[in-house]
Amino acid sequence: MRPYFEKMADIGHELKKGEIKRGEENLRQVREVEAEVEAEVERVKNAGLPTEKVNARGEMTVWQRLEYLVDPGTWCPLHTLFNPMNNVEGTTNVIDGLGRISGKWAVIIGFDNKVMAGAWLAGQSENILRVTDLAKRLHIPLVWLVNCSGAKLPEQEKFYANRRGAGAPFYRHAELEQMGIPVLAGIYGTNPAGGGYQGVSPTILFAHKNCNIAVGGAGIVSGMAPKGGFDEETAETIIEKAKHFKAKPPGSVKIHHDETGFFRYVYEEEKGVLDGLKEYMKEMPAYPPKFYRVAEPKEARFPQEDLYRLLPMDPKKVYPFEEILARLVDGGEHMEFRPDYGPEVYTGLCKVDGFLVACIGNRQGYLGKGYPEYADYPGFGGKLYRQGLIKMNEFVTLCGRDRIPILWLQDTTGIDVGDLAEKAELLGLGQSQIYSIQQTDVPMMLIVLRKGTAAAHYVMGGPTANRHNAFTLGTAATEIYVMHGETAAVATYSRRLVKEKEAGKPLGPIIDSMNQLAREYHEKSRPLFCAKTGLVDEIVAMKDLRKYLVAFAGAAYQNPRSICPQHHMILPRIIKG
């Protein structure tokens, strides 16, 4: 199959001086939003105790541990701003992402020991769910840096129980292990109660000499005999017990290495734990890249910096989708599937770091006379029509057959509506697309370039509607909502307007409510809101998008659960004809 993949057709062109000049204002707007995002990231990094104070105790922070553990240049953070319960700490208190350790891709997560010594906080279990799902979907190791002081007890009702509560990660570790996905844990500090189970549930435990894991910590053990209230005598007893267990906490290395053997390895230095993880990662199951690569890796043909000028911040402006793609994939090369059918959607094969990746994206602008063929009105890119939905169904199904990971590049205003669209079966074709995605069982990644709207957000690889989405990225231009704010205002208040008009009442109060709703939709669809609430897993600077593509492709092909030999693939042959 070398002739198919070694040199594909070129896409895109080098920006001309006029295009560069016209894009200056857009570049400024994008960088302004990216600066806001970066400021929020820095706030999360600086949460809790100062780094110097933690270091003075002889400890590294989670950020320092990650920097030492992860291969340089490969760290792709996720969920940095995720804080769905609006914790006062400004974080869920776990830091995670994709990165390589000793040359092997892994999902990596650690408790932020600067914030309440790594305590359980509200929203944290949802964050961990996304992390375990990522390891499961990519079929790669999960590496933990455990340093968890247990629950933030005054707020336990927010996260302790429930189906997706704080204890759920323990069975998810078991689920990963039953699928043959190892969970490695480097353990530091005091880890009582939930922290203890967080420490014992992984596959191999690498312990620092001063760490402990236990069913209950000093505070819990001291108060294990409730008497119906507290008095001064009780307080004195608690003080004595607390002093004892602080000096000699339960579950130390002496117990869990020398007695139970739970700790496989113990290290004198903090970095020793990380070195142990590095050594183990060398031996993790992985195919060499040459096993799956279809060509030698190439850089993108054009600079990623061009994206700042090409992707408009104004959601109503159009742009050539192929120019975006040319700056993300190897060599600006592709093999397009059915270019003369369903013009509102791009479908094609590209290479990322030498690996074959399927790409699906929304084209923008006027789609030409006579399209969509079932209607008497013109079609515009961003919206999905009958042919586009059929083409995506076909393409996704073939990708599943050939075991090709899928990259979605979304900028959609929705699916066509009205009786003509209903007669054209768009409702059924949308659900057919969900079915097609679900049956593929290949990893998928989504970038919401700009708009993620209505059911089209679901059918174009959205995390809501399939279990194969590994992660979703946003940009400075991203906005996600069920419909545009003004459309929502009309849908909400149109009947009320009619009633008020017929009753002879003033329309001003209703109009004010409509404008207020439109403003709220705008505010609740911005990039920072999307990151905080988890509508996307990370807002990424445009210059860094390709880095995440490389991580996704490398991880997806590292140890997949099934193989389609390149010479058995049918999709490239269908494209060639």
Side-chain angles (χ1 to χ4, degrees):
M1 299 294 284
R2 179 180 52 77
Y4 283 83
F5 305 128
E6 193 169 55
K7 182 67 180 79
M8 298 174 170
D10 292 332
I11 48 172
H13 71 277
E14 185 176 353
L15 291 186
K16 298 175 182 177
K17 289 182 179 180
E19 292 173 305
I20 293 172
K21 186 175 181 180
R22 287 193 297 272
E24 284 299 306
E25 174 58 20
N26 195 74
L27 178 147
R28 184 195 65 78
Q29 292 176 17
V30 173
R31 286 186 171 163
E32 184 176 295
V33 176
E34 289 187 352
E36 293 174 4
V37 172
E38 183 57 34
E40 286 299 295
V41 169
E42 286 302 309
R43 181 189 55 76
V44 171
K45 288 183 176 181
N46 292 318
L49 296 175
T51 297
E52 296 76 18
K53 190 168 184 178
V54 175
N55 293 163
R57 298 173 176 172
E59 301 174 14
M60 302 168 73
T61 68
V62 67
W63 302 99
Q64 291 170 326
R65 291 166 183 167
L66 287 168
E67 184 178 8
Y68 184 85
L69 178 66
V70 179
D71 294 354
T74 68
W75 178 240
C76 294
L78 296 168
H79 315 114
T80 309
L81 303 181
F82 185 52
N83 184 19
M85 301 296 287
N86 201 27
N87 298 331
V88 295
E89 296 83 3
T91 173
T92 64
N93 221 15
V94 285
I95 310 302
D96 67 88
L98 267 176
R100 287 170 64 178
I101 302 173
S102 300
K104 307 282 181 68
W105 289 103
V107 180
I108 308 160
I109 180 169
F111 288 96
D112 190 348
N113 55 325
K114 297 198 292 97
V115 179
M116 297 186 67
W120 279 1
L121 299 181
Q124 185 182 107
S125 56
E126 179 67 26
N127 194 332
I128 296 173
L129 167 66
R130 292 167 183 242
V131 169
T132 53
D133 278 355
L134 178 57
K136 179 166 64 174
R137 180 56 273 173
L138 294 176
H139 206 248
I140 60 176
L142 173 61
V143 177
W144 265 101
L145 300 176
V146 178
N147 198 157
C148 177
S149 60
K152 183 182 181 182
L153 294 175
E155 296 183 0
Q156 60 84 28
E157 77 283 356
K158 295 181 180 180
F159 55 82
Y160 162 68
N162 217 326
R163 184 173 291 272
R164 291 162 78 125
F170 311 150
Y171 90 77
R172 294 197 180 99
H173 287 167
E175 181 182 38
L176 291 176
E177 289 160 344
Q178 289 159 18
M179 296 174 68
I181 301 171
V183 184
L184 309 181
I187 306 175
Y188 299 93
T190 298
N191 301 277
Y197 286 102
Q198 196 71 54
V200 80
S201 55
T203 317
I204 308 289
L205 312 184
F206 303 76
H208 182 251
K209 66 176 182 179
N210 294 333
C211 81
N212 65 72
I213 57 173
V215 174
I220 296 173
V221 175
S222 302
M224 286 297 285
K227 296 180 179 179
F230 300 97
D231 54 29
E232 195 159 324
E233 181 183 352
T234 308
E236 291 293 342
T237 303
I238 291 171
I239 289 169
E240 288 303 312
K241 288 184 177 180
K243 286 181 178 179
H244 169 75
F245 287 116
K246 184 177 181 180
K248 191 178 180 181
S252 66
V253 165
K254 184 175 181 180
I255 296 296
H256 286 315
H257 180 262
D258 300 348
E259 300 291 337
T260 67
F262 292 170
F263 294 153
R264 184 78 65 90
Y265 306 101
V266 175
Y267 301 88
E268 289 289 316
E269 304 293 333
E270 287 222 357
K271 288 183 177 179
V273 177
L274 304 174
D275 288 333
L277 290 168
K278 288 183 178 184
E279 195 63 31
Y280 241 73
M281 278 298 297
K282 291 178 183 178
E283 308 301 327
M284 288 295 101
Y287 290 90
K290 66 181 180 181
F291 189 92
Y292 279 106
R293 277 187 172 134
V294 297
E296 288 299 312
K298 294 180 183 177
E299 292 298 321
R301 187 177 172 199
F302 306 109
Q304 276 98 75
E305 290 288 341
D306 289 353
L307 296 171
Y308 289 81
R309 294 177 170 86
L310 285 166
L311 183 65
M313 288 291 286
D314 183 345
K316 295 180 181 178
K317 283 189 176 180
V318 302
Y319 60 91
F321 171 79
E322 283 82 357
E323 295 297 338
I324 302 294
L325 191 63
R327 284 150 180 86
L328 295 175
V329 301
D330 288 12
E333 299 174 11
H334 76 144
M335 297 173 63
E336 186 172 358
F337 174 78
R338 300 197 74 179
D340 300 323
Y341 188 80
E344 75 271 24
V345 176
Y346 171 89
T347 51
L349 298 178
C350 300
K351 295 169 290 187
V352 175
D353 199 31
F355 296 108
L356 195 64
V357 174
C359 297
I360 305 174
N362 300 101
R363 288 194 173 99
Q364 307 296 312
Y366 176 56
L367 297 172
K369 187 176 180 180
Y371 190 83
E373 75 287 355
Y374 57 79
D376 55 3
Y377 47 78
F380 290 91
K383 188 168 284 189
L384 299 178
Y385 303 96
R386 177 184 173 87
Q387 286 188 21
L389 286 164
I390 289 174
K391 180 165 78 169
M392 285 194 294
N393 269 279
E394 293 175 333
F395 187 67
V396 165
T397 300
L398 290 166
C399 289
R401 189 263 178 210
D402 287 359
R403 319 313 297 151
I404 304 171
I406 299 175
L407 166 64
W408 298 84
L409 297 142
Q410 190 180 115
D411 186 357
T412 178
T413 54
I415 299 174
D416 194 21
V417 297
D419 278 345
L420 292 176
E422 295 305 323
K423 289 179 182 179
E425 303 182 272
L426 268 61
L427 182 64
L429 285 169
Q431 181 56 33
S432 296
Q433 172 76 346
I434 299 294
Y435 188 95
S436 295
I437 291 172
Q438 194 58 33
Q439 62 84 40
T440 61
D441 196 25
V442 295
M444 302 184 186
M445 168 186 168
L446 168 64
I447 302 175
V448 183
L449 290 171
R450 284 198 309 189
K451 301 177 295 295
T453 310
H457 177 55
Y458 300 161
V459 306
M460 294 199 66
T464 315
N466 78 87
R467 69 168 181 263
H468 305 315
N469 174 281
F471 56 89
T472 297
L473 303 181
T475 72
T478 294
E479 50 186 42
I480 299 175
Y481 37 54
V482 67
M483 60 186 73
H484 191 277
E486 292 180 16
T487 308
V490 172
T492 303
Y493 289 105
S494 59
R495 292 183 181 180
R496 183 79 178 274
L497 284 171
V498 172
K499 289 181 180 180
E500 299 295 288
K501 179 71 174 179
E502 291 176 346
K505 295 181 179 180
L507 301 181
I510 307 302
I511 293 171
D512 289 343
S513 296
M514 294 175 73
N515 284 321
Q516 176 65 22
L517 182 60
R519 284 192 295 270
E520 289 177 358
Y521 259 65
H522 178 79
E523 292 164 3
K524 294 179 180 178
S525 65
R526 301 296 88 201
L528 283 174
F529 182 87
C530 291
K532 180 178 178 180
T533 55
L535 305 186
V536 299
D537 294 304
E538 193 82 356
I539 298 294
V540 176
M542 291 187 188
K543 63 182 176 58
D544 293 330
L545 287 173
R546 178 172 159 85
K547 179 180 178 182
Y548 280 79
L549 267 64
V550 170
F552 169 71
Y557 279 108
Q558 179 168 288
N559 189 29
R561 287 175 290 182
S562 60
I563 298 170
C564 178
Q566 292 174 14
H567 56 289
H568 294 178
M569 289 180 175
I570 198 67
L571 181 51
R573 293 177 168 116
I574 290 173
I575 292 173
K576 183 178 179 181

